[in-house]
Amino acid sequence: MDTKGAGRSPAWLAAVWAASRAVLLLTVFKVITVTGPDVTSDVSVIYRGWYEVLRQGTFPLDDVTWQYPPAAALAVLSPGLLPFLDYPHAFFVLCCLTDLAVLGLLLRHGRGAGRSPRGAWLWTAAVPLLGPTVYARYDVMVTALAVAALLVAARHPRVFGVLTALGAMVKVWPALLLTGSFRRRPWASAAVTAAGLAALFAVSMPGAFAFLTFQRDRGTEVESLGALVFHVARHFGWEGQVLLNYGSIEFLGPYVDVVSTAALVLTGAAFGWLVLWRLRVVRTDELTLPEAAFTAILLFTVTSRVISPQYLVWLIGLAAVCLTHRASRMTAPALMVAVASLVTLLEFPIGFIHVVTSDWYGVTLMVVRNGLLVAASLVAGRRLWRSTVSSAPLASAPAPAGRADESPVSR
């Protein structure tokens, strides 16, 4: 074994992380200017406004852009932990520290027999490909909860359930981490935690669940898979509009409701496939839980009416967890997500005007980005199925004895 090479790897990783994150901080602090719309306005204007409302002990009842579960208030209020900084700068610094915490978790989990530093490298290299949006949204905080949950799942199933529930109460999607869990304890602890948090917010702060009504009458967001229909249709006389609606830039007009309904149907189909997969599973190993979570989030992301740039942070985090295992079957989908992240930066914020106007450059960017995500979803789903259901499984890591989530499933 090359001990010198092994010693250099963490040093190189730390150097790349520090350099890339310094650039990210300089972009959100506006020392370096990135072409396109100012992505930091969500923090300096929207989040800051919510912060002032939440400090009064209530949720933003009259703001339709508040579309998040009640525990999202914790992320919005978190800059109060750094009172010596103004709100936006405190938020950006906290995002950077959270980013560092995720790196630490991935590095620790990537050591030892059968483990790999590839997960930490993927996180280090792919996150900055999304540009300043990473630190200008709270998704990196939610992703940290999801990563931590998956990494403790084998040894501490109840903690996995608690962290999953907390993540779901911050931004819903971490609930899908339970997709590949075949143990009762995580499900029970997640249910108890979610119910407790919901009750706590319901009795302590008015409007905790007002966000549920703010999803009505949404259009199709311009970066979604379904939006490609209208990007192309605009070149053939489609008479719709692109407007700011419910906090995002959406297509509104003829047939938008049809495409939005089709997206919901596809989401339902994805859910149905996941249910079928769980019913057909005949074997699992230590990779099944993170790979099922990664696949589930991919499926629900590509079928959504909205594919915002920050959603890629979720996928990078879950892919990184998969790659901490040397025998991971998700290397190809993970690389597709990394490339899709770079294309996402090119379309937002750099080329967003081209996307909004549906010129051919903008349409090409969306075809490539969404095409990569669709391909990643199909490959991930196929590999998950083959490794757990098919009679000809892919090579996988041996399952540790005595863990229900990581051993053959009895039927």
Side-chain angles (χ1 to χ4, degrees):
M1 179 178 179
D2 183 2
T3 55
K4 291 183 179 180
R8 285 197 301 266
S9 182
W12 275 109
L13 183 64
V16 173
W17 186 91
S20 59
R21 274 41 176 196
V23 173
L24 284 182
L25 285 174
L26 289 173
T27 59
V28 291
F29 288 162
K30 299 183 180 179
V31 176
I32 297 176
T33 301
V34 177
T35 303
D38 179 12
V39 301
T40 66
S41 62
D42 276 36
V43 176
S44 59
V45 178
I46 298 176
Y47 286 15
R48 179 60 185 269
W50 291 342
Y51 174 80
E52 297 299 337
V53 174
L54 291 166
R55 289 178 63 193
Q56 306 305 313
T58 184
F59 286 90
L61 298 174
D62 300 319
D63 187 348
V64 295
T65 62
W66 176 263
Q67 300 171 16
Y68 308 106
L74 302 177
V76 175
L77 290 169
S78 63
L81 297 172
L82 303 178
F84 48 88
L85 295 174
D86 62 15
Y87 184 89
H89 289 174
F91 186 89
F92 303 146
V93 169
L94 286 174
C95 284
C96 185
L97 292 175
T98 304
D99 180 355
L100 179 60
V102 173
L103 176 64
L105 290 172
L106 293 169
L107 272 174
R108 181 177 180 181
H109 195 74
R111 295 172 180 167
R115 301 297 172 85
S116 171
R118 292 184 305 157
W121 273 108
L122 178 71
W123 178 260
T124 299
V127 165
L129 295 180
L130 288 169
T133 305
V134 173
Y135 287 173
R137 306 290 187 271
Y138 76 82
D139 294 80
V140 70
M141 300 178 182
V142 189
T143 302
L145 287 172
V147 169
L150 289 173
L151 295 182
V152 303
R155 294 184 179 275
H156 305 287
R158 289 192 178 91
V159 177
F160 165 60
V162 170
L163 291 175
T164 295
L166 178 58
M169 292 297 288
V170 174
K171 205 166 185 179
V172 181
W173 67 264
L176 291 171
L177 300 184
L178 291 165
T179 299
S181 177
F182 295 90
R183 309 172 78 174
R184 295 179 181 178
R185 283 178 291 175
W187 286 87
S189 61
V192 170
T193 302
L197 287 172
L200 177 63
F201 280 108
V203 300
S204 62
M205 296 179 68
F209 296 96
F211 77 97
L212 293 172
T213 64
F214 294 160
Q215 289 286 343
R216 297 175 183 173
D217 301 322
R218 290 203 64 163
T220 295
E221 193 258 343
V222 294
E223 296 165 283
S224 66
L225 182 63
L228 289 173
V229 173
F230 302 111
H231 281 301
V232 174
R234 293 176 85 182
H235 291 271
F236 297 93
W238 180 71
E239 298 180 350
Q241 296 177 293
V242 176
L243 298 172
L244 179 63
N245 188 51
Y246 290 89
S248 64
I249 305 297
E250 301 180 349
F251 282 115
L252 298 173
Y255 306 110
V256 171
D257 57 337
V258 175
V259 172
S260 296
T261 300
L264 293 174
V265 171
L266 286 174
T267 299
F271 179 78
W273 183 88
L274 290 170
V275 171
L276 177 64
W277 169 76
R278 281 186 62 93
L279 294 175
R280 295 287 302 278
V281 166
V282 294
R283 59 184 171 272
T284 63
D285 56 34
E286 65 177 337
L287 305 179
T288 302
L289 182 65
E291 292 186 349
F294 178 49
T295 302
I297 298 300
L298 268 170
L299 290 171
F300 276 79
T301 298
V302 298
T303 59
S304 173
R305 290 178 295 172
V306 179
I307 307 181
S308 295
Q310 61 268 26
Y311 292 9
L312 276 292
V313 182
W314 318 342
L315 298 174
I316 294 169
L318 299 185
V321 173
C322 294
L323 294 192
T324 59
H325 299 273
R326 193 173 301 279
S328 175
R329 299 167 285 250
M330 295 295 162
T331 301
L335 292 177
M336 292 179 198
V337 167
V339 176
S341 299
L342 176 59
V343 181
T344 297
L345 172 62
L346 295 178
E347 63 92 358
F348 184 88
I350 294 176
F352 197 55
I353 185 62
H354 299 283
V355 174
V356 171
T357 57
S358 299
D359 66 24
W360 287 114
Y361 176 67
V363 173
T364 300
L365 288 175
M366 296 317 310
V367 168
V368 173
R369 197 281 297 269
N370 291 342
L372 284 166
L373 294 180
V374 170
S377 302
L378 295 175
V379 173
R382 181 173 180 268
R383 293 189 173 189
L384 179 66
W385 187 276
R386 287 185 63 190
S387 66
T388 57
V389 177
S390 172
S391 59
L394 296 174
S396 62
R403 294 176 186 169
D405 269 344
E406 303 168 357
S407 58
V409 177
S410 300
R411 292 298 183 195

